[in-house]
């Protein structure tokens, strides 16, 4: 698979990737620049990511090595209070938490996305393609890859 050009927006310049963020060391990317921040002028970053570094969440449990995800599935079971099949559906994006939980907690939705990124790493990938309310979403592990971020804040994203 060829490289994908993906975009991330931030309310401030990114100089260092922390592992204690909402999605661990992963940042959210999309195929077009998007704005999900209240910053008057957000920073826009581009990354060119080889396609073979991306796994689709929808394929997690159709792989021969899906047993590697048992610990992550167990975390979802405990967090949501569901069975393993439902946890796999949540991790793969086949079902949404809002449709399953009587007491829907949006923070748990973010945690499931973080766990999707963690599952990608467990399976040997740097990124996971999933979906959210905005459409396709790529969570990309960025720890040690700060130099991969190309600042296109001043319009280079449209070239």
């Amino acid at each position: 698979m060829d490289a994908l050009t993906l975009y991330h927006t931030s309310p401030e310049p990114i100089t260092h990737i922390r592992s204690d963020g909402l999605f661990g060391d992963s940042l959210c990317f999309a195929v077009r620049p998007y704005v999900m921040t209240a910053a008057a002028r957000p920073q826009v970053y581009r990354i060119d990511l080889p396609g073979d570094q991306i796994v689709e969440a929808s394929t997690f449990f159709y792989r021969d090595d899906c047993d590697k995800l048992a610990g992550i599935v167990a975390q979802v079971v405990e967090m949501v209070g569901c069975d393993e099949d439902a946890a796999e559906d949540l991790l793969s994006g086949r079902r949404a938490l809002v449709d399953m939980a009587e007491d829907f907690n949006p923070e748990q939705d973010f945690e499931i996305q973080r766990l999707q990124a963690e599952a990608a790493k467990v399976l040997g990938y740097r990124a996971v393609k999933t979906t959210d309310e905005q459409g396709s979403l790529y969570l990309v592990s960025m720890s040690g890859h700060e130099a991969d971020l190309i600042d296109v804040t001043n319009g280079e994203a449209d070239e």
Side-chain angles (χ1 to χ4, degrees), residues 52-68:
D52 63 359
Q53 294 183 9
I54 305 168
V55 63
E56 292 192 31
S58 63
T59 69
F60 281 165
F61 299 100
Y62 295 103
R63 303 169 49 92
D64 291 337
D65 60 351
C66 67
D67 59 320
K68 293 179 180 179

Side-chain angles (χ1 to χ4, degrees), residues 25-76:
D25 75 335
S26 295
L27 295 177
C28 296
F29 288 84
V31 295
R32 288 180 200 77
Y34 62 96
V35 178
M36 294 293 293
T37 177
R41 179 142 170 84
Q43 296 290 127
V44 181
Y45 293 95
R46 186 185 88 217
I47 186 172
D48 298 312
L49 190 65
D52 63 359
Q53 294 183 9
I54 305 168
V55 63
E56 292 192 31
S58 63
T59 69
F60 281 165
F61 299 100
Y62 295 103
R63 303 169 49 92
D64 291 337
D65 60 351
C66 67
D67 59 320
K68 293 179 180 179
L69 302 179
I72 295 173
V73 170
Q75 289 178 57
V76 175

Side-chain angles (χ1 to χ4, degrees), residues 7 33 41-46 150-159:
Y7 298 92
R41 179 142 170 84
Q43 296 290 127
V44 181
Y45 293 95
R46 186 185 88 217
I150 302 163
D151 188 342
V152 294
T153 302
N154 295 319
E156 293 86 13
D158 298 326
E159 293 179 359

Side-chain angles (χ1 to χ4, degrees), residues 57-101:
S58 63
T59 69
F60 281 165
F61 299 100
Y62 295 103
R63 303 169 49 92
D64 291 337
D65 60 351
C66 67
D67 59 320
K68 293 179 180 179
L69 302 179
I72 295 173
V73 170
Q75 289 178 57
V76 175
V77 166
E78 183 175 333
M79 176 180 69
V80 176
C82 62
D83 62 28
E84 286 184 13
D85 288 337
E88 288 180 3
D89 285 349
L90 287 168
L91 278 171
S92 66
R94 289 189 297 256
R95 292 177 71 187
L97 186 58
V98 69
D99 298 327
M100 293 178 56

